Each structure stands twice: as structure tokens, then as C-alpha cells.
Amino acid sequence: MKLQRKNRLRATALGALAVSGALVLTACGSDDNTGNGTTGGSGEKSAAASSIDCGKAKGQLRASGSSAQKNAMDLWVKNYMAACSGVEINYNSSSSGEGIVAFNQGTVGFAGSDSALKPEEVAESKKACKTGQGINLPMVGGPVAVGYHLEGVDKLTLDAPTLAKIFDTKIKKWNDPAIAALNKGVDLPDKAIQAFHRSEDSGTTQNLGKYLGAAAPKDWKYEAEKKWPAPGGQAASGSSGVAAQVKQVDGAIGYFELSYAKSQSISTVSIDTGGSAPADATSENASKAIAAAKIKGTGKDLALDLDYTTKADGAYPLVLVTYEVVCDTGNKAETLDTVKSFLSYAASDEGQKILTDAGYAPIPAEINAKVRETVNGLS
């Protein structure tokens, strides 16, 4: 009797697992189902493939650039390669600067950059694009989190002038009066601030510079460049490197994409914008800021103009948009189909939907519709 009961329980558990697995696979589907997915060994199309149009994608596609979008790219690549057998997407998470250099040298199918191409970079891209030039496709949005590690302090508010002075090493202690004034009732320690920044050219650095230059012009006198401009502080490689240092060092502060803070349980700063309440670094609050962006690019270029000085309630102003940089025309024939297929998935409803749980903000629907149209027209 005990053996029979044990077997019944085992059968019930296996049945539950089967149903659970079916539900998980079903959830991977998309409202934007274009078919044309690859088939599995049994000849039946997998649920993952049903949400992605593999088209004529084949072989290996190399890409590189922004480390801020690494966690988003990891999700996209995993889902895409599960759906499209025989295709390998290799994204090298380096930096925006390195990605653009690789793109303009013609060694990658597309590049990820946290800032739009400069005029001189567009001019350089014409060598790689042959009949066209590089354009910016906004694909990933989100807050640039200011992460900190301060034992005993679980909630911290700063404003743009104070952040500027911290990263410019003008404010050196955590109990500085400027910080205390923004955090009444918080027991701030008499501890040295250790500010970390990116060691390599970085679009995330440039976006921080754009925010500080716009919101605290009297306190941040540096041009918004990819290379860290201010003296002092400590450098680390990539968003992952800065996050790792902040995680380890008591008294540290640094900047990186929100997903790094989430994955490593790093506390993040709320920003006092002058609105009704400080804005937390969340995907929802970043979306409120990005939704007000205007397209400033011309032709097929979809570069955005962000408002870093917004005081809208709940809008988190320190945001970035990561662009995928491609040729408008003159893409390499051997990778063009894969570039279009993969980026079409990234810009799809399903591709954008999965960003929120990873700490990113989907691109606003009106702008994203133009991204899809442009991807479809790449040649």
C-alpha cells in the first residue's frame, strides 16, 4: 500500500511539473507572432520559436559595445538563439566607445552605444557602410542608478549639485552639511566618500555628464564626454566593475545601469529634482522621463533629445537610452538578414516587455514603432 501510494504521489508531481513547464513555454509567446520560427528535432515548432521571426538568419553575428545594456542583451540573445537554431549571436560587452570603433572598422554587424553617434563618427561610418552611414536606433532605456554602500544608511537622497560636488571630489565626507540637509533624521557617518567612475570611454559616463551639466551647471563645469573628465576618484572597468567596487567598499558611491544594482542588491540614491518628492531609480520612473524625449535625428536616424532637468512628479531624470548602431544602407550581405531578424525581436512587444523585470525601461511605443519600421527597411 505504501509503495502504491508513493507511486501515485510521484505521478501526480510529474504531472504538475509537465503542466508548469507548458505554462512557462506558453508565456514565452508574443502577441506579435510572425511565424517563420525554426523547428526542433521532432519537427514541431518550439514555443520560444513561435514568438520570433528567424527569417533567413544564419551563421554568426558579432556585435559589441555598451556594457549598460549587457543584461538586456543577454536576455535577448538567450531567447533568440533558443528559437533560431544554427544562428549564433556574440555580443561583446565592452564599452560604447569600443563598440563604435569596432563598427566603424567593419568588424561587427552592429554596435551598442549609450550615446548617439557624433558627426565625426557618422562620417567615419561611411567607410564601413559603403553606400550609406551609421544611424542610431533607440532600443533600451532605463535609469542610470547612483549606487552607494554606507553601513547603517538604507535610504539616501541627493540632488544634482550635491552629486556634482561628490563626483568632482569637492564633497569628501558622508556627513557633509550639503548631504545632511537633504537627509534630515538620517544618521550619516563621519566617513570618507570613495567615488568610483568608469576607466574606459563610456556612454554611461557621458549621460551622467549630460545630466550634471544640465541640472547643476554651476557645479559641473566639464563637457559631457565618454572619457571621465574630473580629477580624483577611483576608476573601474565597465558597469560591472564599478558596481563590484561599490558592493565591496563601505563608503563607496558610483553609477551604473539599474540592473547591476538589482542583481547585486546595491542601495540606490533617490534624486531630489525639485518636484513634490524625490524620485527613486526605477524602470517606471525612468519611463516617465524618457516618454518626454523628442527625436532629433534626421532621415532614418532616431537619436533622441532627453530632458535631464524635468521636475515632473515621479520622473527620474538621470536616464540613458542605449542605441543599436547600424548602417542605414550598405550592411554586409552575409549578416544583414540576421541583424534585421535579431533587432526586430529586440524591438518587438515581447522583446521590450522582458526589459522591465531586468531593471530597464521599454522604449515608448510611438518611438519604438519607428524603430521597427527602420529595422525592416535596412538594406
Side-chain angles (χ1 to χ4, degrees):
M1 290 294 292
K2 289 183 178 179
L3 181 59
Q4 290 176 339
R5 183 172 182 272
K6 186 174 182 180
N7 286 339
R8 285 198 304 271
L9 289 172
R10 182 173 182 273
T12 301
L14 288 173
L17 284 172
V19 171
S20 175
L23 288 172
V24 169
L25 288 174
T26 301
C28 293
S30 170
D31 293 334
D32 185 19
N33 184 350
T34 51
N36 290 340
T38 57
T39 57
S42 65
E44 294 181 1
K45 189 186 297 183
S46 70
S50 69
S51 66
I52 296 173
D53 183 357
C54 301
K56 298 178 181 178
K58 60 184 183 300
Q60 184 184 68
L61 172 61
R62 296 180 66 244
S64 69
S66 165
S67 65
Q69 71 167 358
K70 177 185 183 299
N71 295 330
M73 193 61 67
D74 285 349
L75 286 171
W76 287 336
V77 168
K78 177 183 176 182
N79 290 350
Y80 185 85
M81 288 177 59
C84 301
S85 63
V87 181
E88 180 183 350
I89 310 293
N90 185 351
Y91 182 80
N92 177 28
S93 172
S94 51
S95 70
S96 298
E98 293 174 69
I100 290 173
V101 168
F103 177 78
N104 284 343
Q105 290 176 342
T107 60
V108 295
F110 70 88
S113 177
D114 302 328
S115 55
L117 294 169
K118 294 181 179 179
E120 59 269 28
E121 292 170 335
V122 173
E124 185 70 17
S125 73
K126 293 179 181 179
K127 298 176 183 177
C129 295
K130 307 299 184 184
T131 61
Q133 65 182 39
I135 57 172
N136 306 281
L137 301 179
M139 201 70 73
V140 182
V144 177
V146 178
Y148 71 96
H149 179 173
L150 197 57
E151 296 295 336
V153 178
D154 299 323
K155 182 71 174 175
L156 184 70
T157 297
L158 298 173
D159 58 13
T162 307
L163 277 170
K165 292 171 187 173
I166 287 173
F167 281 113
D168 200 18
T169 63
K170 296 295 195 316
I171 292 179
K172 301 179 184 295
K173 290 288 189 77
W174 279 109
N175 62 348
D176 186 276
I179 300 177
L182 293 164
N183 295 274
K184 292 180 177 171
V186 177
D187 186 13
L188 296 167
D190 182 16
K191 185 183 292 292
I193 295 173
Q194 300 194 54
F196 287 88
H197 58 262
R198 294 280 289 273
S199 60
E200 75 286 5
D201 285 2
S202 159
T204 312
T205 294
Q206 189 171 37
N207 277 276
L208 175 66
K210 287 178 180 178
Y211 164 69
L212 293 176
K218 293 181 180 179
D219 300 293
W220 191 257
K221 301 294 187 180
Y222 307 101
E223 292 294 325
E225 300 291 347
K226 292 176 183 175
K227 184 176 181 61
W228 182 255
Q234 301 179 59
S237 178
S239 292
S240 58
V242 175
Q245 290 297 322
V246 173
K247 176 75 172 178
Q248 295 169 12
V249 179
D250 186 17
I253 189 170
Y255 58 94
F256 32 79
E257 209 285 323
L258 180 62
S259 62
Y260 291 93
K262 280 192 166 187
S263 63
Q264 299 190 48
S265 300
I266 298 172
S267 298
T268 59
V269 169
S270 298
I271 295 182
D272 185 344
T273 64
S276 61
D280 296 333
T282 66
S283 297
E284 180 183 5
N285 289 346
S287 291
K288 292 177 182 177
I290 295 172
K294 307 295 183 184
I295 295 176
K296 65 178 180 180
T298 58
K300 294 183 178 180
D301 185 81
L302 300 177
L304 301 179
D305 187 14
L306 299 169
D307 180 8
Y308 296 101
T309 61
T310 178
K311 291 180 173 59
D313 285 349
Y316 183 83
L318 180 43
V319 295
L320 63 75
V321 169
T322 293
Y323 300 95
E324 310 312 336
V325 178
V326 296
C327 298
D328 54 358
T329 64
N331 291 276
K332 291 184 177 180
E334 60 268 29
T335 57
L336 175 59
D337 289 331
T338 307
V339 167
K340 292 176 69 171
S341 173
F342 177 70
L343 294 184
S344 291
Y345 164 61
S348 70
D349 289 340
E350 181 65 23
Q352 290 291 299
K353 183 179 178 182
I354 65 175
L355 294 180
T356 303
D357 289 341
Y360 296 96
I363 299 299
E366 183 179 349
I367 297 171
N368 196 44
K370 295 181 180 180
V371 172
R372 296 184 197 181
E373 180 182 353
T374 302
V375 170
N376 188 55
L378 297 178
S379 61

